[in-house]
Short mmCIF file of all heavy atoms in Angstrom, two decimals:
data_model
loop_
_atom_site.label_atom_id
_atom_site.label_comp_id
_atom_site.label_asym_id
_atom_site.label_seq_id
_atom_site.Cartn_x
_atom_site.Cartn_y
_atom_site.Cartn_z
N MET S 1 10.14 14.06 -113.37
CA MET S 1 8.90 14.39 -114.06
C MET S 1 8.20 15.52 -113.31
O MET S 1 8.20 15.57 -112.09
CB MET S 1 7.98 13.17 -114.10
CG MET S 1 8.60 11.93 -114.71
SD MET S 1 8.95 12.08 -116.43
CE MET S 1 7.38 11.65 -117.14
N LYS S 2 7.59 16.39 -114.10
CA LYS S 2 6.81 17.47 -113.52
C LYS S 2 5.47 17.58 -114.26
O LYS S 2 5.37 17.21 -115.42
CB LYS S 2 7.55 18.81 -113.62
CG LYS S 2 8.68 18.95 -112.62
CD LYS S 2 9.24 20.37 -112.61
CE LYS S 2 10.34 20.49 -111.57
NZ LYS S 2 10.89 21.86 -111.52
N ALA S 3 4.49 18.13 -113.57
CA ALA S 3 3.18 18.35 -114.18
C ALA S 3 3.05 19.81 -114.57
O ALA S 3 3.53 20.71 -113.87
CB ALA S 3 2.08 17.96 -113.19
N PHE S 4 2.39 20.00 -115.69
CA PHE S 4 2.14 21.35 -116.19
C PHE S 4 0.69 21.45 -116.62
O PHE S 4 0.10 20.47 -117.09
CB PHE S 4 3.05 21.65 -117.40
CG PHE S 4 4.50 21.56 -117.08
CD1 PHE S 4 5.17 20.35 -117.18
CD2 PHE S 4 5.21 22.68 -116.67
CE1 PHE S 4 6.53 20.26 -116.87
CE2 PHE S 4 6.56 22.60 -116.36
CZ PHE S 4 7.21 21.39 -116.46
N VAL S 5 0.12 22.63 -116.46
CA VAL S 5 -1.24 22.88 -116.93
C VAL S 5 -1.19 23.91 -118.06
O VAL S 5 -0.62 24.99 -117.90
CB VAL S 5 -2.14 23.41 -115.80
CG1 VAL S 5 -3.51 23.79 -116.35
CG2 VAL S 5 -2.28 22.37 -114.70
N ASN S 6 -1.76 23.55 -119.18
CA ASN S 6 -1.88 24.49 -120.30
C ASN S 6 -3.07 25.40 -120.01
O ASN S 6 -4.23 25.00 -120.15
CB ASN S 6 -2.08 23.72 -121.61
CG ASN S 6 -2.15 24.66 -122.80
OD1 ASN S 6 -2.36 25.86 -122.66
ND2 ASN S 6 -1.99 24.11 -123.98
N LYS S 7 -2.79 26.60 -119.58
CA LYS S 7 -3.86 27.51 -119.18
C LYS S 7 -4.71 27.98 -120.35
O LYS S 7 -5.81 28.48 -120.15
CB LYS S 7 -3.28 28.71 -118.43
CG LYS S 7 -2.70 28.32 -117.09
CD LYS S 7 -2.36 29.54 -116.28
CE LYS S 7 -1.94 29.13 -114.88
NZ LYS S 7 -1.89 30.28 -113.97
N ASN S 8 -4.19 27.84 -121.54
CA ASN S 8 -4.99 28.20 -122.72
C ASN S 8 -6.10 27.19 -122.97
O ASN S 8 -7.04 27.46 -123.70
CB ASN S 8 -4.10 28.31 -123.96
CG ASN S 8 -3.12 29.45 -123.85
OD1 ASN S 8 -3.46 30.51 -123.34
ND2 ASN S 8 -1.91 29.23 -124.32
N VAL S 9 -5.96 26.02 -122.35
CA VAL S 9 -6.91 24.93 -122.57
C VAL S 9 -7.78 24.69 -121.33
O VAL S 9 -8.95 24.33 -121.44
CB VAL S 9 -6.14 23.65 -122.96
CG1 VAL S 9 -7.09 22.48 -123.12
CG2 VAL S 9 -5.33 23.88 -124.24
N CYS S 10 -7.22 24.89 -120.15
CA CYS S 10 -7.93 24.62 -118.89
C CYS S 10 -9.25 25.38 -118.81
O CYS S 10 -9.30 26.58 -119.06
CB CYS S 10 -7.02 25.02 -117.72
SG CYS S 10 -7.81 24.87 -116.10
N ILE S 11 -10.30 24.65 -118.47
CA ILE S 11 -11.63 25.27 -118.29
C ILE S 11 -11.97 25.40 -116.80
O ILE S 11 -13.10 25.72 -116.44
CB ILE S 11 -12.72 24.46 -119.02
CG1 ILE S 11 -12.75 23.01 -118.51
CG2 ILE S 11 -12.51 24.52 -120.53
CD1 ILE S 11 -13.91 22.18 -119.04
N PHE S 12 -11.01 25.12 -115.95
CA PHE S 12 -11.12 25.24 -114.51
C PHE S 12 -12.33 24.47 -113.97
O PHE S 12 -13.15 24.99 -113.23
CB PHE S 12 -11.19 26.71 -114.09
CG PHE S 12 -10.88 26.91 -112.63
CD1 PHE S 12 -9.80 26.29 -112.04
CD2 PHE S 12 -11.68 27.73 -111.85
CE1 PHE S 12 -9.51 26.46 -110.69
CE2 PHE S 12 -11.41 27.92 -110.50
CZ PHE S 12 -10.33 27.28 -109.94
N CYS S 13 -12.39 23.21 -114.34
CA CYS S 13 -13.48 22.36 -113.88
C CYS S 13 -13.24 21.87 -112.45
O CYS S 13 -14.17 21.43 -111.79
CB CYS S 13 -13.65 21.17 -114.81
SG CYS S 13 -12.27 20.01 -114.74
N GLY S 14 -12.00 21.90 -112.00
CA GLY S 14 -11.68 21.50 -110.63
C GLY S 14 -11.41 20.03 -110.43
O GLY S 14 -11.12 19.61 -109.30
N MET S 15 -11.47 19.25 -111.49
CA MET S 15 -11.30 17.80 -111.31
C MET S 15 -9.89 17.42 -110.88
O MET S 15 -9.70 16.54 -110.04
CB MET S 15 -11.67 17.07 -112.60
CG MET S 15 -13.16 17.12 -112.89
SD MET S 15 -13.62 16.22 -114.37
CE MET S 15 -13.32 14.54 -113.84
N CYS S 16 -8.90 18.10 -111.42
CA CYS S 16 -7.52 17.74 -111.04
C CYS S 16 -7.25 18.08 -109.58
O CYS S 16 -6.65 17.30 -108.85
CB CYS S 16 -6.51 18.42 -111.96
SG CYS S 16 -6.62 20.22 -112.01
N GLY S 17 -7.71 19.26 -109.15
CA GLY S 17 -7.52 19.66 -107.77
C GLY S 17 -8.30 18.77 -106.81
O GLY S 17 -7.84 18.48 -105.70
N GLY S 18 -9.46 18.31 -107.25
CA GLY S 18 -10.25 17.41 -106.43
C GLY S 18 -9.60 16.05 -106.28
O GLY S 18 -9.60 15.45 -105.20
N ALA S 19 -9.01 15.57 -107.35
CA ALA S 19 -8.38 14.25 -107.34
C ALA S 19 -6.98 14.29 -106.74
O ALA S 19 -6.52 13.31 -106.17
CB ALA S 19 -8.31 13.70 -108.76
N CYS S 20 -6.33 15.40 -106.86
CA CYS S 20 -4.93 15.47 -106.48
C CYS S 20 -4.60 16.86 -105.92
O CYS S 20 -3.84 17.63 -106.52
CB CYS S 20 -4.11 15.18 -107.73
SG CYS S 20 -2.40 14.85 -107.42
N PRO S 21 -5.15 17.19 -104.76
CA PRO S 21 -5.02 18.55 -104.23
C PRO S 21 -3.62 18.91 -103.77
O PRO S 21 -3.34 20.09 -103.55
CB PRO S 21 -6.01 18.56 -103.05
CG PRO S 21 -6.11 17.14 -102.63
CD PRO S 21 -5.97 16.33 -103.90
N ASN S 22 -2.75 17.94 -103.62
CA ASN S 22 -1.39 18.27 -103.20
C ASN S 22 -0.49 18.62 -104.38
O ASN S 22 0.68 18.95 -104.18
CB ASN S 22 -0.77 17.16 -102.35
CG ASN S 22 -1.06 15.79 -102.88
OD1 ASN S 22 -1.68 15.65 -103.94
ND2 ASN S 22 -0.62 14.77 -102.20
N ILE S 23 -1.03 18.57 -105.60
CA ILE S 23 -0.24 18.99 -106.77
C ILE S 23 -0.94 20.11 -107.53
O ILE S 23 -0.31 21.06 -107.97
CB ILE S 23 0.00 17.80 -107.72
CG1 ILE S 23 0.80 16.70 -107.00
CG2 ILE S 23 0.75 18.28 -108.98
CD1 ILE S 23 0.96 15.45 -107.82
N PHE S 24 -2.26 19.99 -107.71
CA PHE S 24 -3.00 20.95 -108.54
C PHE S 24 -3.86 21.85 -107.66
O PHE S 24 -4.55 21.37 -106.75
CB PHE S 24 -3.89 20.21 -109.54
CG PHE S 24 -3.12 19.34 -110.47
CD1 PHE S 24 -2.96 17.99 -110.21
CD2 PHE S 24 -2.53 19.86 -111.61
CE1 PHE S 24 -2.22 17.17 -111.07
CE2 PHE S 24 -1.78 19.07 -112.47
CZ PHE S 24 -1.63 17.71 -112.19
N PHE S 25 -3.83 23.13 -107.95
CA PHE S 25 -4.65 24.07 -107.18
C PHE S 25 -5.00 25.26 -108.05
O PHE S 25 -4.46 25.43 -109.16
CB PHE S 25 -3.92 24.51 -105.91
CG PHE S 25 -2.54 25.05 -106.15
CD1 PHE S 25 -2.32 26.40 -106.31
CD2 PHE S 25 -1.45 24.18 -106.23
CE1 PHE S 25 -1.06 26.90 -106.54
CE2 PHE S 25 -0.17 24.68 -106.46
CZ PHE S 25 0.03 26.04 -106.62
N ALA S 26 -5.92 26.06 -107.54
CA ALA S 26 -6.39 27.21 -108.30
C ALA S 26 -5.36 28.32 -108.30
O ALA S 26 -4.79 28.65 -107.26
CB ALA S 26 -7.70 27.73 -107.71
N ASP S 27 -5.13 28.89 -109.47
CA ASP S 27 -4.21 30.01 -109.57
C ASP S 27 -5.02 31.31 -109.49
O ASP S 27 -6.25 31.31 -109.51
CB ASP S 27 -3.44 29.92 -110.88
CG ASP S 27 -2.08 30.60 -110.79
OD1 ASP S 27 -1.80 31.24 -109.77
OD2 ASP S 27 -1.30 30.48 -111.76
N TYR S 28 -4.32 32.42 -109.43
CA TYR S 28 -4.98 33.73 -109.30
C TYR S 28 -5.90 34.04 -110.47
O TYR S 28 -6.81 34.85 -110.35
CB TYR S 28 -3.93 34.82 -109.16
CG TYR S 28 -3.07 34.96 -110.40
CD1 TYR S 28 -3.44 35.85 -111.41
CD2 TYR S 28 -1.93 34.19 -110.57
CE1 TYR S 28 -2.67 35.96 -112.56
CE2 TYR S 28 -1.17 34.30 -111.71
CZ TYR S 28 -1.54 35.18 -112.70
OH TYR S 28 -0.80 35.27 -113.84
N ASP S 29 -5.66 33.40 -111.61
CA ASP S 29 -6.42 33.74 -112.82
C ASP S 29 -7.57 32.76 -113.07
O ASP S 29 -8.05 32.65 -114.19
CB ASP S 29 -5.49 33.80 -114.02
CG ASP S 29 -4.69 32.50 -114.20
OD1 ASP S 29 -4.84 31.58 -113.36
OD2 ASP S 29 -3.91 32.41 -115.16
N SER S 30 -7.99 32.04 -112.02
CA SER S 30 -9.08 31.07 -112.15
C SER S 30 -8.79 30.01 -113.19
O SER S 30 -9.66 29.63 -114.00
CB SER S 30 -10.41 31.78 -112.45
OG SER S 30 -10.78 32.59 -111.37
N LYS S 31 -7.56 29.56 -113.18
CA LYS S 31 -7.14 28.39 -113.95
C LYS S 31 -6.41 27.50 -112.96
O LYS S 31 -6.00 27.94 -111.88
CB LYS S 31 -6.19 28.78 -115.08
CG LYS S 31 -6.77 29.75 -116.09
CD LYS S 31 -7.72 29.07 -117.03
CE LYS S 31 -8.22 30.04 -118.09
NZ LYS S 31 -9.06 29.37 -119.08
N SER S 32 -6.24 26.26 -113.34
CA SER S 32 -5.50 25.37 -112.46
C SER S 32 -4.00 25.53 -112.72
O SER S 32 -3.58 25.89 -113.82
CB SER S 32 -5.94 23.93 -112.70
OG SER S 32 -5.47 23.11 -111.67
N VAL S 33 -3.22 25.25 -111.70
CA VAL S 33 -1.77 25.29 -111.85
C VAL S 33 -1.19 24.11 -111.08
O VAL S 33 -1.78 23.66 -110.10
CB VAL S 33 -1.21 26.64 -111.35
CG1 VAL S 33 -1.38 26.80 -109.85
CG2 VAL S 33 0.26 26.82 -111.73
N ALA S 34 -0.07 23.62 -111.55
CA ALA S 34 0.58 22.49 -110.89
C ALA S 34 1.77 22.99 -110.07
O ALA S 34 2.50 23.89 -110.50
CB ALA S 34 1.06 21.47 -111.92
N LEU S 35 1.91 22.39 -108.91
CA LEU S 35 3.05 22.71 -108.06
C LEU S 35 4.35 22.37 -108.80
O LEU S 35 4.43 21.34 -109.47
CB LEU S 35 2.94 21.88 -106.78
CG LEU S 35 3.59 22.41 -105.51
CD1 LEU S 35 3.04 23.77 -105.14
CD2 LEU S 35 3.37 21.42 -104.39
N ASP S 36 5.33 23.22 -108.68
CA ASP S 36 6.61 23.04 -109.38
C ASP S 36 7.52 22.13 -108.56
O ASP S 36 8.47 22.59 -107.93
CB ASP S 36 7.25 24.41 -109.62
CG ASP S 36 8.51 24.31 -110.45
OD1 ASP S 36 8.73 23.25 -111.09
OD2 ASP S 36 9.28 25.28 -110.46
N ILE S 37 7.18 20.85 -108.56
CA ILE S 37 7.99 19.88 -107.81
C ILE S 37 8.26 18.66 -108.67
O ILE S 37 7.50 18.35 -109.60
CB ILE S 37 7.28 19.42 -106.52
CG1 ILE S 37 5.90 18.83 -106.83
CG2 ILE S 37 7.17 20.56 -105.52
CD1 ILE S 37 5.25 18.12 -105.66
N GLU S 38 9.34 17.99 -108.37
CA GLU S 38 9.66 16.74 -109.04
C GLU S 38 8.70 15.66 -108.54
O GLU S 38 8.53 15.48 -107.34
CB GLU S 38 11.12 16.35 -108.74
CG GLU S 38 11.57 15.08 -109.39
CD GLU S 38 11.74 15.20 -110.91
OE1 GLU S 38 11.89 16.32 -111.40
OE2 GLU S 38 11.72 14.16 -111.58
N LEU S 39 8.05 14.98 -109.48
CA LEU S 39 7.05 13.98 -109.13
C LEU S 39 7.65 12.58 -109.18
O LEU S 39 8.18 12.16 -110.21
CB LEU S 39 5.87 14.06 -110.08
CG LEU S 39 5.14 15.39 -110.11
CD1 LEU S 39 4.13 15.42 -111.25
CD2 LEU S 39 4.45 15.67 -108.79
N THR S 40 7.55 11.88 -108.06
CA THR S 40 7.99 10.49 -108.01
C THR S 40 6.97 9.69 -107.21
O THR S 40 6.14 10.26 -106.50
CB THR S 40 9.37 10.36 -107.32
OG1 THR S 40 9.26 10.90 -105.99
CG2 THR S 40 10.45 11.09 -108.08
N GLY S 41 7.05 8.40 -107.32
CA GLY S 41 6.24 7.51 -106.50
C GLY S 41 4.75 7.81 -106.57
O GLY S 41 4.17 7.98 -107.65
N GLU S 42 4.14 7.90 -105.41
CA GLU S 42 2.69 8.08 -105.32
C GLU S 42 2.25 9.42 -105.92
O GLU S 42 1.18 9.50 -106.53
CB GLU S 42 2.26 8.00 -103.85
CG GLU S 42 0.76 8.01 -103.63
CD GLU S 42 0.06 6.78 -104.22
OE1 GLU S 42 0.70 5.73 -104.39
OE2 GLU S 42 -1.14 6.89 -104.50
N LEU S 43 3.07 10.44 -105.78
CA LEU S 43 2.71 11.74 -106.37
C LEU S 43 2.64 11.65 -107.89
O LEU S 43 1.74 12.23 -108.52
CB LEU S 43 3.73 12.81 -105.97
CG LEU S 43 3.58 13.43 -104.59
CD1 LEU S 43 4.69 14.45 -104.36
CD2 LEU S 43 2.22 14.09 -104.41
N LEU S 44 3.54 10.90 -108.48
CA LEU S 44 3.52 10.74 -109.94
C LEU S 44 2.29 9.95 -110.37
O LEU S 44 1.65 10.28 -111.37
CB LEU S 44 4.81 10.05 -110.41
CG LEU S 44 4.94 9.83 -111.91
CD1 LEU S 44 4.80 11.14 -112.68
CD2 LEU S 44 6.26 9.15 -112.24
N VAL S 45 1.95 8.94 -109.61
CA VAL S 45 0.75 8.15 -109.91
C VAL S 45 -0.49 9.05 -109.85
O VAL S 45 -1.36 9.01 -110.74
CB VAL S 45 0.60 6.98 -108.92
CG1 VAL S 45 -0.75 6.29 -109.09
CG2 VAL S 45 1.73 5.98 -109.13
N MET S 46 -0.55 9.89 -108.82
CA MET S 46 -1.71 10.78 -108.68
C MET S 46 -1.75 11.81 -109.80
O MET S 46 -2.82 12.12 -110.33
CB MET S 46 -1.65 11.49 -107.32
CG MET S 46 -1.86 10.56 -106.15
SD MET S 46 -1.72 11.40 -104.57
CE MET S 46 -3.22 12.36 -104.58
N ALA S 47 -0.60 12.34 -110.16
CA ALA S 47 -0.56 13.32 -111.25
C ALA S 47 -1.00 12.69 -112.56
O ALA S 47 -1.73 13.31 -113.35
CB ALA S 47 0.84 13.89 -111.37
N ARG S 48 -0.59 11.47 -112.80
CA ARG S 48 -1.00 10.77 -114.03
C ARG S 48 -2.50 10.51 -114.02
O ARG S 48 -3.16 10.55 -115.06
CB ARG S 48 -0.22 9.47 -114.20
CG ARG S 48 1.23 9.68 -114.57
CD ARG S 48 1.78 8.47 -115.32
NE ARG S 48 3.21 8.57 -115.56
CZ ARG S 48 3.77 9.34 -116.49
NH1 ARG S 48 3.01 10.09 -117.25
NH2 ARG S 48 5.08 9.35 -116.66
N HIS S 49 -3.04 10.25 -112.85
CA HIS S 49 -4.49 10.07 -112.75
C HIS S 49 -5.19 11.38 -113.10
O HIS S 49 -6.15 11.39 -113.88
CB HIS S 49 -4.87 9.62 -111.33
CG HIS S 49 -6.34 9.58 -111.10
ND1 HIS S 49 -7.19 8.75 -111.80
CD2 HIS S 49 -7.14 10.31 -110.26
CE1 HIS S 49 -8.43 8.95 -111.40
NE2 HIS S 49 -8.43 9.90 -110.47
N ALA S 50 -4.71 12.48 -112.55
CA ALA S 50 -5.30 13.78 -112.88
C ALA S 50 -5.20 14.06 -114.37
O ALA S 50 -6.15 14.55 -114.99
CB ALA S 50 -4.61 14.89 -112.08
N GLU S 51 -4.07 13.72 -114.94
CA GLU S 51 -3.88 13.90 -116.39
C GLU S 51 -4.94 13.11 -117.16
O GLU S 51 -5.50 13.59 -118.15
CB GLU S 51 -2.48 13.42 -116.78
CG GLU S 51 -2.17 13.51 -118.25
CD GLU S 51 -0.83 12.89 -118.57
OE1 GLU S 51 -0.42 11.90 -117.93
OE2 GLU S 51 -0.15 13.40 -119.48
N SER S 52 -5.23 11.92 -116.68
CA SER S 52 -6.16 11.05 -117.41
C SER S 52 -7.61 11.52 -117.29
O SER S 52 -8.43 11.20 -118.15
CB SER S 52 -6.02 9.61 -116.91
OG SER S 52 -6.60 9.47 -115.62
N ILE S 53 -7.95 12.24 -116.22
CA ILE S 53 -9.35 12.64 -116.04
C ILE S 53 -9.61 14.06 -116.49
O ILE S 53 -10.77 14.48 -116.53
CB ILE S 53 -9.81 12.46 -114.58
CG1 ILE S 53 -9.04 13.38 -113.64
CG2 ILE S 53 -9.73 11.01 -114.16
CD1 ILE S 53 -9.58 13.39 -112.21
N CYS S 54 -8.59 14.83 -116.81
CA CYS S 54 -8.82 16.20 -117.28
C CYS S 54 -9.65 16.13 -118.57
O CYS S 54 -9.23 15.51 -119.54
CB CYS S 54 -7.50 16.91 -117.54
SG CYS S 54 -7.73 18.56 -118.26
N PRO S 55 -10.81 16.76 -118.58
CA PRO S 55 -11.71 16.60 -119.73
C PRO S 55 -11.24 17.27 -121.01
O PRO S 55 -11.77 16.99 -122.08
CB PRO S 55 -13.02 17.23 -119.23
CG PRO S 55 -12.60 18.20 -118.19
CD PRO S 55 -11.39 17.59 -117.53
N VAL S 56 -10.26 18.15 -120.88
CA VAL S 56 -9.81 18.87 -122.08
C VAL S 56 -8.34 18.63 -122.41
O VAL S 56 -7.77 19.29 -123.27
CB VAL S 56 -10.07 20.40 -121.93
CG1 VAL S 56 -11.57 20.67 -121.91
CG2 VAL S 56 -9.41 20.95 -120.68
N GLY S 57 -7.72 17.71 -121.69
CA GLY S 57 -6.32 17.38 -121.99
C GLY S 57 -5.35 18.51 -121.69
O GLY S 57 -4.33 18.66 -122.38
N ALA S 58 -5.64 19.28 -120.65
CA ALA S 58 -4.78 20.43 -120.34
C ALA S 58 -3.54 20.07 -119.54
O ALA S 58 -2.63 20.88 -119.45
CB ALA S 58 -5.60 21.47 -119.57
N ILE S 59 -3.52 18.88 -118.96
CA ILE S 59 -2.41 18.50 -118.09
C ILE S 59 -1.38 17.69 -118.87
O ILE S 59 -1.73 16.73 -119.55
CB ILE S 59 -2.93 17.70 -116.88
CG1 ILE S 59 -3.86 18.58 -116.04
CG2 ILE S 59 -1.76 17.20 -116.03
CD1 ILE S 59 -4.58 17.82 -114.93
N VAL S 60 -0.15 18.11 -118.74
CA VAL S 60 0.96 17.39 -119.37
C VAL S 60 1.96 17.04 -118.29
O VAL S 60 2.31 17.88 -117.46
CB VAL S 60 1.64 18.27 -120.44
CG1 VAL S 60 2.85 17.57 -121.02
CG2 VAL S 60 0.65 18.64 -121.53
N ILE S 61 2.41 15.81 -118.31
CA ILE S 61 3.45 15.38 -117.38
C ILE S 61 4.65 14.99 -118.21
O ILE S 61 4.55 14.16 -119.12
CB ILE S 61 2.98 14.19 -116.52
CG1 ILE S 61 1.79 14.63 -115.67
CG2 ILE S 61 4.11 13.69 -115.63
CD1 ILE S 61 1.10 13.50 -114.97
N LYS S 62 5.76 15.64 -117.94
CA LYS S 62 6.93 15.36 -118.78
C LYS S 62 8.21 15.48 -117.96
O LYS S 62 8.23 16.11 -116.90
CB LYS S 62 6.97 16.31 -119.97
CG LYS S 62 7.09 17.78 -119.61
CD LYS S 62 7.07 18.62 -120.87
CE LYS S 62 7.21 20.10 -120.54
NZ LYS S 62 7.13 20.94 -121.73
N ASP S 63 9.23 14.89 -118.52
CA ASP S 63 10.55 15.01 -117.95
C ASP S 63 10.98 16.45 -118.06
O ASP S 63 10.89 17.05 -119.13
CB ASP S 63 11.50 14.09 -118.72
CG ASP S 63 12.83 13.91 -118.02
OD1 ASP S 63 13.35 14.91 -117.49
OD2 ASP S 63 13.32 12.78 -118.00
N VAL S 64 11.44 17.02 -116.99
CA VAL S 64 11.79 18.44 -117.01
C VAL S 64 12.98 18.73 -117.91
O VAL S 64 13.23 19.87 -118.26
CB VAL S 64 12.06 18.99 -115.59
CG1 VAL S 64 10.78 19.08 -114.81
CG2 VAL S 64 13.07 18.13 -114.87
N LEU S 65 13.71 17.73 -118.30
CA LEU S 65 14.83 17.94 -119.21
C LEU S 65 14.35 18.12 -120.64
O LEU S 65 15.08 18.62 -121.48
CB LEU S 65 15.81 16.76 -119.14
CG LEU S 65 16.44 16.56 -117.76
CD1 LEU S 65 17.35 15.34 -117.77
CD2 LEU S 65 17.23 17.81 -117.35
N GLN S 66 13.08 17.72 -120.92
CA GLN S 66 12.49 17.89 -122.26
C GLN S 66 11.73 19.19 -122.30
O GLN S 66 10.52 19.21 -122.16
CB GLN S 66 11.50 16.76 -122.57
CG GLN S 66 12.10 15.39 -122.53
CD GLN S 66 11.02 14.34 -122.71
OE1 GLN S 66 9.83 14.62 -122.70
NE2 GLN S 66 11.45 13.10 -122.87
N LYS S 67 12.39 20.30 -122.43
CA LYS S 67 11.70 21.59 -122.39
C LYS S 67 11.07 21.92 -123.72
O LYS S 67 11.44 21.50 -124.73
CB LYS S 67 12.67 22.66 -121.96
CG LYS S 67 13.12 22.37 -120.53
CD LYS S 67 12.99 23.54 -119.64
CE LYS S 67 13.20 23.11 -118.20
NZ LYS S 67 13.49 24.15 -117.31
S1 SF4 U 101 -8.95 18.95 -114.79
FE1 SF4 U 101 -8.10 20.04 -116.58
S2 SF4 U 101 -9.65 21.54 -117.15
FE2 SF4 U 101 -10.14 20.83 -115.09
S3 SF4 U 101 -9.16 22.36 -113.72
FE3 SF4 U 101 -7.71 20.66 -114.02
S4 SF4 U 101 -6.41 21.28 -115.75
FE4 SF4 U 101 -8.24 22.59 -115.78
#
């Protein structure tokens, strides 16, 4: 599983980075971006939490085989 941020939707509120700074961080374009890593265990739990608190639904967590 990997996390993705839809930059067309992200309003850069900072909530994902605040809740899960080891996966989500600010990109050069003042949008959030997710680290390109396979998420398992505690990291996956944290990413799902960030997904749940994003106010605009910009975070998607999906199996990387489902492109
Ligand atoms: S929580 Fe959502 S809207 Fe806020 S910075 Fe993260 S991806 Fe963007």
Side-chain angles (χ1 to χ4, degrees):
M1 305 293 275
K2 284 189 178 181
F4 300 88
V5 174
N6 182 343
K7 292 190 173 192
N8 294 322
V9 177
C10 175
I11 58 173
F12 198 46
C13 69
M15 290 182 69
C16 57
C20 193
N22 42 4
I23 299 174
F24 299 96
F25 53 93
D27 207 353
Y28 64 91
D29 55 358
S30 295
K31 300 283 184 175
S32 194
V33 67
L35 206 58
D36 185 16
I37 57 169
E38 180 71 20
L39 300 171
T40 59
E42 187 65 24
L43 280 179
L44 181 56
V45 171
M46 292 178 71
R48 288 205 186 284
H49 173 63
E51 178 186 34
S52 73
I53 64 172
C54 175
V56 293
I59 297 172
V60 175
I61 297 170
K62 62 182 181 182
D63 192 319
V64 288
L65 298 178
Q66 301 174 351
K67 295 231 170 162

